[in-house]
Amino acid sequence: MAFTTVIALLLATSSIVVSQNSSSPSSTSVANASQTSSAPASFVTNLELSVEDLWDLYVGPVSTFSINTTVQPTPIPSSSLIPPPSLYYPSFPTGQQVPLQSKNESWRFPKTFWYGVAGASYQIEGAVKAEGRGPSIWDVLSHRVPGYVITNETGDNADNNYYMYKEDIARIAALGIKTYSFSLSWSRILPFGSGPVNEQALLHYDDLIDTCISYGVTPMVTLYHWDLPLFLQNSYGGWLSEKIVPDFTEYARIAFTRWSSKVHYWFTVNEPIVFCGFYPLPENFFKKTDIPKKQQPYFCGHNVLLSHSAAYRLGKSINSSLSISFKTNGGYKIPRTDSAADAQAVQRAWDFQEGWFANPTFLNGDYPPNLKSHVETFLTPFTDAQKEQINGTCDIFAHDAYTSDFIEAPESGIEACIANSSHTLFPSCYNTTKLYANNYWAIGPASDPGSPWLYKATDWVPAFLHYMQDTWKPRDGVAITEFGISEPYEELRTNLASIVIDPLRSAYYRDYLSAILIAISEGVNVVGTLAWSIYDNMEWSQGYSVKFGIQYVNLTTQERYFKASAFEYVNMFNVYQEK
Ligand SMILES: *[C@@H]1O[C@H](CO)[C@@H](O)[C@H](O)[C@H]1NC(C)=O
Ligand SMILES: *[C@@H]1O[C@H](CO)[C@@H](O)[C@H](O)[C@H]1NC(C)=O
Ligand SMILES: *[C@@H]1O[C@H](CO)[C@@H](O)[C@H](O)[C@H]1NC(C)=O
Ligand SMILES: *[C@@H]1O[C@H](CO)[C@@H](O)[C@H](O)[C@H]1NC(C)=O
Ligand SMILES: *[C@@H]1O[C@H](CO)[C@@H](O)[C@H](O)[C@H]1NC(C)=O
Ligand SMILES: *[C@@H]1O[C@H](CO)[C@@H](O)[C@H](O)[C@H]1NC(C)=O
Ligand SMILES: *[C@@H]1O[C@H](CO)[C@@H](O)[C@H](O)[C@H]1NC(C)=O
Ligand SMILES: *[C@@H]1O[C@H](CO)[C@@H](O)[C@H](O)[C@H]1NC(C)=O
Ligand SMILES: *[C@@H]1O[C@H](CO)[C@@H](O)[C@H](O)[C@H]1NC(C)=O
Ligand SMILES: *[C@@H]1O[C@H](CO)[C@@H](O)[C@H](O)[C@H]1NC(C)=O
């Protein structure tokens, strides 16, 4: 790749050290021998670097997989499409003594309801250096920061989707799934995050999108699913700086311009609560910042809202019929007791989670009250023009809604927490637990210990869907854009027959979709669902140790196998969707 960029590098004595320290007072010329300084370790210079140099300096060698050119799909054997045996007795719907056995004639998914599967670039693509991709922060986190990924695994090969996407699309189409949601790798398209555009990456995504369409699968595109171009992080601090707004908007422009005639559904960013929570990033691997650690997530959130809303308005100006939203995340919040303090804690939880991004975009361009009174102590408030820009910039309420939590006030009380920035729960000042107030029963069955935040809590889904619709009143309805569960201890299973029967995940999808059907029958406008995930993948800091796939992937061979849950998921639509 011939792209180069100018990067400020730290000079320590005569050798270049980059990964350890990129802080600098400002770009200082080192040429003037008569200048002196008492901080020689902070001297910087300007060097021209290629994409390859960025890899060599910041990441180091990466591994590759033996399949390293695009492969044609193999026919899906009909024997692999035989549904699994019955896995469990029909469950007892909440409060009923009679198990649910037959089709409920009051339930239906409308004809327009879309159901699909989701994945994300860094988690599935692999081929991290192929065809000019620049490094992202996750290449550094996984390669250079010991223990950041608990298994020390990387996304170097992941599911090799970069070369096997045709097979992957053919497989979901064979199941009858008509929607595929994936994210673009920003640093493939713009190896430095801004500047020169990599045509090979555009051609790759052209073919991915065209392959979806040729199989009758609707492509849905997420622009940003956490793999921030490293160069933007190290140039100006990534999401901590308002400089990201024009860079993200330009990236969005490239994508909208190229694919808006083929892609109707767009998501700008995925789960900003989570990726803003990556800040502060581990020390000594990225550009330093003076922003206090506990404030960094909110600086990120501020710049996400500006970036998202700018991209939304740009996308609509390119093609006003596009559906553009972000995917947020959270869960239903149940007061642990009926005390006034717990009720207040629940409101704080909504305000610091869903409301952080949903109130500004769906309601009024600004943060919810409990969050606003915190962030206004250090963030410049949005101007009226910014509020106007942000307000109204999601078409659907796209929620990654995996689970639910009981919420209670901190033991110290809420006021004492708000007044004490050293309090463990500061600044949100609410506590969560999976246990009912009897301190014995959990909200539902636990997932894998690697995802302690996740229990099957599908009974609460109808209430959650009502809450989303009533609170944020999305124009084009509510969509569950990620849901799924990690089957407990699945990673310990070594033979295929034991892996592919996943009873908890199967029950989760069946019961979750039943809950959506209840909500629809009660008037909630739920428009679509995306199962997380198309197959087992690189689960960020958990590596490959936690499995969320409705397909198993043998990472040695990159062969894919359907799990029972894939059939359960599709079956609910076969039974309940209007033809
Ligand atoms: C070198 O630095 C000295 C002291 O800061 C300054 O007076 C001089 O103009 C500089 N020379 C050049 C060529 O920049
Ligand atoms: C990085 O540079 C700063 C400022 O020059 C210095 O205070 C800090 O100790 C350095 N850190 C490392 C890891 O060298
Ligand atoms: C592709 O994989 C083959 C082995 O299957 C290997 O010989 C070749 O060097 C690889 N090419 C690249 C560019 O990695
Ligand atoms: C990951 O790497 C660190 C540092 O090299 C090491 O201490 C740790 O044991 C490794 N963890 C695993 C699960 O291999
Ligand atoms: C605008 O997007 C819709 C789909 O959302 C598409 O059908 C239409 O062709 C697009 N228009 C242009 C000019 O690309
Ligand atoms: C935000 O937009 C909504 C409609 O999308 C409108 O009803 C509301 O008045 C706006 N709020 C502000 C503060 O502009
Ligand atoms: C939060 O809840 C956990 C578990 O229920 C409890 O152990 C902890 O003490 C609580 N923390 C505070 C600050 O109230
Ligand atoms: C603030 O919280 C810390 C950590 O929980 C605690 O040790 C300290 O006593 C609290 N300070 C006050 C004034 O309550
Ligand atoms: C994965 O593939 C390897 C190599 O063929 C094989 O040894 C292993 O048994 C497979 N794993 C499973 C669970 O099928
Ligand atoms: C069928 O669905 C309706 C509406 O959701 C619900 O009220 C009813 O209890 C369901 N019937 C059974 C047998 O579950």
Side-chain angles (χ1 to χ4, degrees), residues 335-340 342-343:
R336 193 152 189 243
T337 72
D338 60 6
S339 72
D342 285 1

Side-chain angles (χ1 to χ4, degrees), residues 93 96 98-102 104-107 514 517-519 521-522:
Q96 293 188 30
V98 181
L100 177 58
Q101 291 190 24
S102 51
N104 187 329
E105 294 300 334
S106 323
W107 291 353
S514 302
L517 287 160
I518 291 172
S521 77
E522 292 168 356

Side-chain angles (χ1 to χ4, degrees), residues 256 259-266 318-323:
F256 287 138
W259 298 300
S260 63
S261 63
K262 295 176 178 172
V263 176
H264 175 69
Y265 289 97
W266 293 82
I318 290 170
N319 183 336
S320 62
S321 75
L322 300 182
S323 171

